[in-house]
Amino acid sequence: MLHPLRNPRHDHAVNRCLVEHVNNKLLFYVPIGCLLAVCVAADTMADTMTDTMAAEDTQGRLVLDVARLGILVWLIIVLYRIVFNSRTKKSLMITSTLLVAGAVMISSILPPMIEKSLNRVQFPRPSDALIKWPTLMPAAVDLHARLLVADTHSDSLLWFRRDLLRKSDIGHVDIPRLLEGGVAFQAFTIVTGSPSGLRFDFNAEPSLLTDTITQKALLENWGLDAVTTRTGRVFAQTRRMHDIAARSQGALQVLLTRSDVQGFVAQRRAGQRAVGAIIGIEGLHCLDGDAANIDRFFADGVRMAGLTHFFDNDLGGSAHGIAKGGLSTFGAAILARMEELNMIVDVAHASAALVDDIIARATRPLLSSHTGVRGVCDNDRNLHDHHLDAIAKSGGLISIAYFRPAVCAGSEGEPASPQTFVDSIVRSIMYVVRRVGVDHVSLGSDFDGTVAVPFDTTQLVYLTNALLQQDLSEEDVAKIMGENVLRFMARVLPA
């Protein structure tokens, strides 16, 4: 029974106003709260992460999961308002505007936060008195200033929201920092597929929907083709590389041929400040089953490719895959075509069986662009001694990476220091030197590859410093730091 003094219509109006008020508050506070939660999660994980395994797995997954949850909650609230509270054009217009504005805000804010949490510099700058860095010898500083440093692997093209022509405090590589670090040559590689919940030891091939690169391409607006196909992701990143070079006013030069390399090296030796680059691909699952795509990639500037990345595919097995098998019939056909095109075959991330099969079939020098060696750090990702022997025999190069699982930096359960990290990198380099000779070892950082590293590209003088303390001449150090790579590129790229 209704109270005689109360008006039912008035109660309904009050309740409706209250619902509208609550909805408006939710629409404002929930997205703000979700974005703050993402910020806190990203910064907290960036501060507490202590090893590369976390960077490659738990950390990135948690950041993305928090971001996805925030976006999902917000979209549910917005859609609720559209369905139940959009009886007027004005209400619908406001809701739609908020939805679009929110999508733009998320696309702008989330990518840098995610990259900051994934591509970490493990230690503060050497100027920080709280962190003890190795003492630089004057001879090392002098030598490094005269070197042409070369690095055969970075994933910087993957981070679309960062302009590589501007110096940044996010990530590891941009053109100003490369020049500051004395880097003359940088290989930029293309990533087109990565499973959600990435593991270091085994992964199944992700579907398009569970592929984190699909989500990244959508979030950062790479274009419809890049969202729906892995082939499209290759062209999105090659376009980005060529656009950066075109805007750089000569500071970045994409090298396509042997004569390009020779001309560029002559310019650098004459004093020109510039970075030479080649484009590579991690994992030819991006062929999408069409062998003709390898020619399309080559025509768009790709000069290096690994057959597999983080999962087994239709070309062969991955060191991180499930079967970890050898070369398939399709893979053998692609390998033969790459050699016809004078494309560099990269065995990084390949399973041991696949590396064996590639070695058995290859007729040109091979490269492992970012790796470790089992003689120092024994895991599936790193190369066996017989692989080192065969790559050197082919006239190829073994490029040592900087992240923890590649070089086993630090003891079990103990955070690595700058000194132990540098020593671990140099220990792997020297293992290759003693095994196959100084002419077959080089640097392959894996910068910007969702790894935590001891320093960014501006601090490579610490490697020069540590190498000079080994039984090496200045000429040998110069080879390891870059001359081997420049000589290799001038010999193996197309004429």
Side-chain angles (χ1 to χ4, degrees):
M1 181 176 177
L2 294 175
H3 193 285
L5 298 180
R6 294 180 62 181
N7 186 334
R9 291 184 179 180
H10 177 266
D11 288 348
H12 178 73
V14 169
N15 289 337
R16 183 174 177 182
C17 288
L18 181 61
V19 168
E20 289 285 347
H21 177 73
V22 170
N23 285 339
N24 287 332
K25 292 294 184 183
L26 285 174
L27 190 64
F28 177 76
Y29 287 114
V30 168
I32 298 301
C34 291
L35 288 173
L36 286 174
V38 174
C39 291
V40 170
D43 286 338
T44 301
M45 286 183 289
D47 290 338
T48 58
M49 187 190 73
T50 58
D51 67 30
T52 304
M53 294 296 288
E56 291 182 337
D57 187 5
T58 307
Q59 183 185 14
R61 186 167 69 237
L62 185 55
V63 171
L64 289 170
D65 286 345
V66 172
R68 292 178 192 133
L69 179 62
I71 294 169
L72 180 62
V73 170
W74 185 33
L75 287 176
I76 289 173
I77 292 172
V78 171
L79 290 173
Y80 170 82
R81 283 186 55 81
I82 291 174
V83 173
F84 295 103
N85 295 285
S86 296
R87 298 179 180 178
T88 67
K89 291 183 179 180
K90 181 179 179 181
S91 176
L92 182 59
M93 186 179 299
I94 292 173
T95 302
S96 301
T97 302
L98 287 172
L99 184 60
V100 171
V104 171
M105 183 170 60
I106 290 171
S107 179
S108 300
I109 292 175
L110 279 185
M113 288 193 330
I114 291 171
E115 186 187 359
K116 182 180 178 182
S117 71
L118 293 175
N119 291 327
R120 285 195 64 222
V121 175
Q122 192 89 355
F123 307 103
R125 292 279 182 174
S127 58
D128 190 325
L130 298 178
I131 302 293
K132 182 172 177 54
W133 282 77
T135 301
L136 288 175
M137 302 182 298
V141 176
D142 176 67
L143 174 60
H144 193 81
R146 293 183 276 117
L147 295 178
L148 296 184
V149 179
D151 178 356
T152 59
H153 193 91
S154 76
D155 293 319
S156 309
L157 291 177
L158 186 60
W159 309 99
F160 272 60
R161 284 294 182 262
R162 182 154 57 88
D163 186 350
L164 297 182
L165 293 178
R166 296 183 178 182
K167 186 173 182 178
S168 175
D169 61 356
I170 297 176
H172 310 135
V173 166
D174 48 53
I175 306 308
R177 280 186 284 178
L178 287 170
L179 292 172
E180 182 181 341
V183 178
F185 175 91
Q186 180 68 61
F188 291 92
T189 46
I190 291 169
V191 178
T192 62
S194 182
S196 179
L198 180 66
R199 295 175 180 268
F200 193 74
D201 48 359
F202 65 92
N203 302 280
E205 181 170 1
S207 68
L208 200 63
L209 291 178
T210 60
D211 191 331
T212 59
I213 307 301
T214 303
Q215 298 155 19
K216 195 174 194 307
L218 181 62
L219 183 65
E220 296 179 354
N221 191 26
W222 292 13
L224 180 60
D225 195 33
V227 172
T228 57
T229 71
R230 289 172 176 155
T231 299
R233 294 168 196 173
V234 173
F235 296 123
Q237 292 177 69
T238 55
R239 282 194 302 270
R240 184 171 187 235
M241 181 85 262
H242 293 305
D243 173 69
I244 294 168
R247 293 188 292 110
S248 73
Q249 298 180 334
L252 177 67
Q253 301 177 28
V254 178
L255 309 178
L256 302 175
T257 66
R258 300 172 198 173
S259 59
D260 286 348
V261 175
Q262 293 162 359
F264 174 78
V265 170
Q267 292 173 22
R268 278 297 305 241
R269 296 201 195 283
Q272 179 175 340
R273 284 174 55 81
V275 176
I278 66 165
I279 305 173
I281 294 176
E282 287 199 272
L284 286 176
H285 47 268
C286 58
L287 292 170
D288 288 336
D290 185 353
N293 279 329
I294 197 70
D295 289 83
R296 295 177 63 204
F297 297 161
F298 180 84
D300 219 38
V302 175
R303 292 296 180 267
M304 176 175 74
L307 273 61
T308 59
H309 193 198
F310 277 121
F311 47 86
D312 304 331
N313 61 31
D314 54 358
L315 289 88
S318 163
H320 319 275
I322 295 175
K324 296 180 171 62
L327 190 67
S328 70
T329 302
F330 182 56
I334 295 301
L335 175 62
R337 182 56 182 156
M338 288 178 67
E339 291 207 318
E340 290 172 1
L341 293 169
N342 288 333
M343 287 181 71
I344 298 165
V345 177
D346 182 6
V347 299
H349 288 289
S351 67
L354 180 56
V355 178
D356 289 337
D357 288 349
I358 290 173
I359 287 169
R361 288 176 174 268
T363 62
R364 302 180 70 246
L366 297 170
L367 170 70
S368 187
S369 68
H370 57 304
T371 190
V373 292
R374 294 202 186 201
V376 172
C377 188
D378 189 9
N379 61 57
D380 285 345
R381 173 68 174 81
N382 292 342
L383 294 174
H384 289 282
D385 283 354
H386 72 275
H387 293 150
L388 304 181
D389 298 340
I391 292 170
K393 186 177 179 180
S394 78
L397 288 176
I398 299 102
S399 295
I400 300 300
Y402 306 164
F403 59 93
R404 185 187 293 263
V407 296
C408 289
S411 60
E412 188 70 24
E414 178 185 354
S417 67
Q419 183 70 63
T420 57
F421 242 119
V422 170
D423 288 347
S424 297
I425 296 167
V426 170
R427 184 164 60 247
S428 294
I429 289 172
M430 293 305 299
Y431 186 91
V432 179
V433 170
R434 295 180 182 117
R435 179 80 192 186
V436 298
V438 73
D439 292 333
H440 300 287
V441 63
S442 48
L443 307 180
S445 64
D446 200 18
F447 279 152
D448 288 335
T450 67
V451 292
V453 289
F455 42 68
D456 69 8
T457 195
T458 64
Q459 301 300 325
L460 298 180
V461 64
Y462 284 95
L463 291 181
T464 302
N465 187 70
L467 288 169
L468 272 182
Q469 297 174 45
Q470 305 298 313
D471 186 20
L472 295 170
S473 66
E474 286 194 355
E475 181 183 1
D476 288 342
V477 173
K479 287 181 177 182
I480 295 167
M481 293 297 293
E483 295 292 343
N484 285 341
V485 170
L486 296 173
R487 185 184 68 253
F488 177 82
M489 295 297 166
R491 184 163 52 96
V492 302
L493 287 180

